[in-house]
Amino acid sequence: MDRDGVAAKDDAAEAGAVADLAPAPAVAAEIFGDRFPVAERYTELLATAGVQRGLIGPREVPRLWDRHVLNCAVLAELLPAGATLCDVGSGAGLPGIPVAMARPDVSVTLLEPLLRRTTFLEEVVRLLGLENVTVVRGRAEEMVGKLAVDVVTARAVAPLDRLAGWGMPLLRPYGQMLALKGDTAEQELEESRSALTKLGAVGWSVLAVGEGTLETSTRVVRVEAGESPGGVKAATRRAKAARAGRGGRPAEGGRGGARRRR
């Protein structure tokens, strides 16, 4: 097949993917406000480039709005004004990008270790003009002492105890980790209480967000940090990083476009 034939085939596949995408629910315009057209474009990118690059399964396309984009966007209800946020293991940008679109006052860092994913995220951030989003390639363990935020989010990354070990050390004192956990929320929380305490957590709960807005609310485990998020080991690593001048002052949640760490 010649190049024109390949291009035509790709265009047809993209058109088919968009055709499989369900129309945006009316509530999407309420959640995203004047950024609703941006949210539409992001959902189309998930349905096309996201599927082509293996970040989204083809069977998820018809339910992208309900199960993915809106399910994540309602997390914005839990964020304080002007917060800094790190989305750990961001993947295709869920939940970080929907949150950033719903809350332009929140500075969002999308943290992802895989190059092909950070490349996709950078392209999306640039195409959508999301000035309150930064893309960072790296693992959470590498960011301790370099990144400090008010809120850490994650979706389908790891069991809660392991996720907390990655996410809690990135929090500022008295910050919070928000993990989208679905039906496993209570069980994971019960099994993780001891680990959370060792990681400096002083409170935790399971919340339902989007009630009265979405047909199915989003279940979130909220873990509240105390004075030393991540525990003693994380505090020691932060102090060493500060003394060594690695990154100097801990970075705040990203502003002003995307960057890649090679």
Side-chain angles (χ1 to χ4, degrees), residues 1-228:
M1 183 180 295
D2 61 21
R3 290 185 181 179
D4 289 341
V6 171
K9 185 178 179 180
D10 290 344
D11 290 344
E14 183 168 327
V18 173
D20 290 339
L21 182 62
V27 70
E30 299 176 21
I31 291 174
F32 291 110
D34 60 4
R35 283 193 165 185
F36 172 60
V38 181
E40 285 188 302
R41 180 60 179 141
Y42 172 59
T43 309
E44 290 176 358
L45 289 169
L46 290 178
T48 53
V51 172
Q52 292 163 8
R53 301 188 194 186
L55 278 70
I56 296 289
R59 294 183 180 179
E60 296 302 308
V61 172
R63 50 189 183 180
L64 276 174
W65 276 109
D66 291 332
R67 184 169 178 147
H68 297 280
V69 177
L70 296 178
N71 177 268
C72 290
V74 293
L75 201 62
E77 298 176 13
L78 302 177
L79 304 180
T84 54
L85 180 151
C86 178
D87 187 27
V88 172
S90 193
L94 299 165
I97 289 179
V99 168
M101 293 186 297
R103 288 287 301 274
D105 64 303
V106 173
S107 296
V108 175
T109 298
L110 307 178
L111 182 61
E112 169 58 48
L114 297 183
L115 177 60
R116 65 183 179 88
R117 294 177 180 173
T118 55
T119 299
F120 172 80
L121 293 172
E122 289 172 348
E123 292 173 3
V124 168
V125 169
R126 184 179 67 253
L127 287 169
L128 301 183
L130 297 177
E131 296 184 354
N132 61 324
V133 179
T134 297
V135 178
V136 175
R137 184 182 172 207
R139 299 181 182 278
E141 308 95 295
E142 302 167 347
M143 296 295 117
V144 180
K146 301 176 183 178
L147 180 69
V149 294
D150 303 313
V151 181
V152 165
T153 58
R155 179 179 189 253
V157 172
L160 184 61
D161 56 349
R162 195 187 316 163
L163 174 62
W166 297 336
M168 293 288 287
L170 302 182
L171 290 173
R172 292 192 175 112
Y174 311 107
Q176 60 178 332
M177 185 179 76
L178 303 174
L180 282 71
K181 282 294 179 181
D183 295 336
T184 67
E186 283 87 359
Q187 179 182 348
E188 288 198 46
L189 184 54
E190 184 63 31
E191 294 172 351
S192 303
R193 289 174 183 266
S194 176
L196 293 176
T197 299
K198 292 177 181 178
L199 289 167
V202 296
W204 44 75
S205 55
V206 177
L207 307 174
V209 293
E211 288 187 307
T213 302
L214 304 181
E215 289 187 11
T216 302
S217 60
T218 300
R219 295 174 64 74
V220 179
V221 174
R222 177 164 64 185
V223 180
E224 300 167 75
E227 186 175 354
S228 184

